[in-house]
Amino acid sequence: MTGDEDWLIYRGAGEPHDGIDRLPPPPRWREFGGQPLVEPQLGTDGSGGRKLGEQERATTYRADAEVTEIVNAALYLRRPLLVTGKPGTGKSTLAYSIAHELKLGPVLRWPITSRSTLETGLYRYDAVGRLQDASLRQGGTRPLLRTNSGEQAAPPSIGRYIRLGKLGTALLPQKRPRVLLIDEIDKSDVDLPNDLLNVFEEGEFEIPELTRLPDDQATVEVMIADGTDRVPIQRGRVRCNAFPVVVLTSNGERDFPPAFLRRCLRVDIRTPNRQQLTEIVTAHLGPEVVAASEDVIERFLDDRRVGDLANDQLLNAIYLASSGGRPPEETRSRLLDALLRPLSQPGQ
């Protein structure tokens, strides 16, 4: 390292590269060394086909200098990143940008609700399905499995009934880290942030249903969260090799325990200024559209002084104004009023 931008692994420029291979070893207290390494077959990010989908946003997202620096600090220290900011400022998109630029595969997105628990993030065990299958076979309703020689085969492995969650899949012992997006953590039950602490510190978890199995079933293959591929789990223990790139987003709707905050690096994504907005619109829609939409950008900036507005609202408004059809001026004005309505004033 020369003390300049050579230290940046993530550059925030939207161009994929192999910079992750230059990442130095972690601090000794963040070494995990899970073995044996697994290489699950990764699918593609299904969001790419959506209008203004996350994959498109990943390629057009531009992180400012402060965000880029904090992301790189999190990569070096193998620490989770807590991203705060107003709705629509690109908090979730940052995770997709990191995954796209560093070529880390599809993002593992775990959307948080008040019913989300640590266990649902780690794995799901379909005990009812396993019991039903066993009952049907014993009752003769479902045909018995047989080997090629005609002998009765052993019942299906318990691994058929276990699927890792997004957090559990991110913690598999892989050579390269996966990107895990824990979206809107402030919507969680009050206990979830504290429940995550031990997993973040230890980089591992256990599946009790597998730890209780006899020695001849020490290795069990289970399904991963983002596909049908199966990976081997030994003695019911999952321990990461490369700590995942964890991005937690928050709209600032609640406070988090100091112990949780101490284990995260924090960055606040500010609302973009005029130049940044212009760059965002240019990246999505092209420079010609920007030149023809100066009035919409001015309107967006003026309305943002009254209430919160999301970047998506501006993109939608400019796209509608430049998509080819030209509504009457009165209709256009009403549509802009609807599209650029401040989020903090939903009923007006």
Side-chain angles (χ1 to χ4, degrees):
M1 297 269 177
T2 62
D4 55 17
E5 292 186 359
D6 286 350
W7 82 281
L8 294 178
I9 303 298
Y10 168 73
R11 302 166 189 159
E15 294 294 331
H17 57 82
D18 294 313
I20 193 70
D21 296 331
R22 295 191 293 106
L23 191 65
R28 286 181 296 175
W29 55 90
R30 298 297 292 167
E31 292 178 347
F32 300 101
Q35 295 289 335
L37 296 180
V38 299
E39 295 185 27
Q41 297 298 311
L42 306 180
T44 57
D45 188 349
S47 67
R50 291 163 34 202
K51 292 180 180 179
L52 294 179
E54 301 294 357
Q55 186 65 23
E56 179 186 349
R57 294 183 183 184
T59 60
T60 56
Y61 182 84
R62 299 294 182 269
D64 64 29
E66 180 182 358
V67 172
T68 301
E69 290 167 0
I70 298 297
V71 168
N72 279 277
L75 291 172
Y76 277 83
L77 297 174
R78 275 67 168 185
R79 285 290 182 185
L81 184 67
L82 178 60
V83 184
T84 57
K86 294 181 179 179
T89 52
K91 299 185 299 296
S92 301
T93 307
L94 176 59
Y96 289 86
S97 173
I98 296 170
H100 172 74
E101 182 174 317
L102 301 183
K103 299 194 289 190
L104 297 179
V107 171
L108 292 160
R109 179 176 178 264
W110 181 18
I112 299 300
T113 70
S114 59
R115 298 181 299 277
S116 300
T117 64
L118 177 64
E119 184 176 89
T120 58
L122 293 175
Y123 74 98
R124 290 182 181 274
Y125 171 49
D126 186 7
V128 174
R130 189 185 186 201
L131 180 61
Q132 289 176 339
D133 281 355
S135 298
L136 290 172
R137 288 188 176 87
Q138 289 176 359
T141 306
R142 182 166 296 179
L144 296 173
L145 298 176
R146 297 188 179 279
T147 64
N148 293 334
S149 62
E151 299 178 354
Q152 182 176 334
S157 166
I158 187 176
R160 282 189 57 182
Y161 306 95
I162 293 178
R163 180 185 289 275
L164 298 178
K166 301 300 176 64
L167 174 57
T169 300
L171 290 171
L172 285 170
Q174 300 174 79
K175 184 177 181 180
R176 282 187 162 207
R178 293 291 302 273
V179 177
L180 171 67
L181 170 61
I182 304 180
D183 214 4
E184 299 192 336
I185 184 68
D186 40 9
K187 286 183 167 41
S188 73
D189 178 82
V190 67
D191 293 327
L192 182 59
N194 279 325
D195 292 341
L196 289 168
L197 293 182
N198 186 63
V199 175
F200 286 166
E201 284 301 290
E202 302 302 326
E204 68 177 13
F205 69 97
E206 287 189 345
I207 303 176
E209 291 82 0
L210 300 184
T211 60
R212 295 192 289 262
L213 294 176
D215 290 343
D216 61 348
Q217 299 179 50
T219 302
V220 176
E221 291 190 342
V222 303
M223 292 181 288
I224 62 174
D226 55 341
T228 58
D229 196 25
R230 297 175 184 272
V231 294
I233 304 298
Q234 296 185 343
R235 299 287 181 186
R237 183 173 178 240
V238 178
R239 182 178 179 85
C240 71
N241 181 274
F243 188 75
V245 181
V246 181
V247 177
L248 305 104
T249 69
S250 167
N251 292 326
E253 297 174 356
R254 63 181 281 192
D255 296 325
F256 296 104
F260 175 79
L261 296 176
R262 180 168 61 86
R263 288 164 171 84
C264 300
L265 274 73
R266 290 174 278 171
V267 64
D268 183 66
I269 296 185
R270 302 181 181 89
T271 53
N273 57 33
R274 182 187 178 86
Q275 179 181 346
Q276 292 168 328
L277 282 174
T278 300
E279 292 174 355
I280 291 171
V281 176
T282 301
H284 280 284
L285 301 174
E288 299 83 4
V289 172
V290 172
S293 305
E294 291 292 337
D295 61 327
V296 181
I297 295 176
E298 286 294 339
R299 165 73 184 275
F300 178 85
L301 291 169
D302 289 341
D303 289 354
R304 201 174 65 180
R305 297 187 182 97
V306 178
D308 293 338
L309 287 170
N311 298 345
D312 282 357
Q313 292 175 270
L314 175 63
L315 291 171
N316 287 331
I318 291 180
Y319 178 81
L320 186 63
S322 62
S323 59
R326 184 73 180 179
E329 189 61 33
E330 184 178 346
T331 301
R332 182 174 182 269
S333 179
R334 287 199 300 268
L335 289 173
L336 286 178
D337 288 342
L339 290 170
L340 300 180
R341 176 179 295 168
L343 303 175
S344 53
Q345 301 173 359
Q348 299 182 14

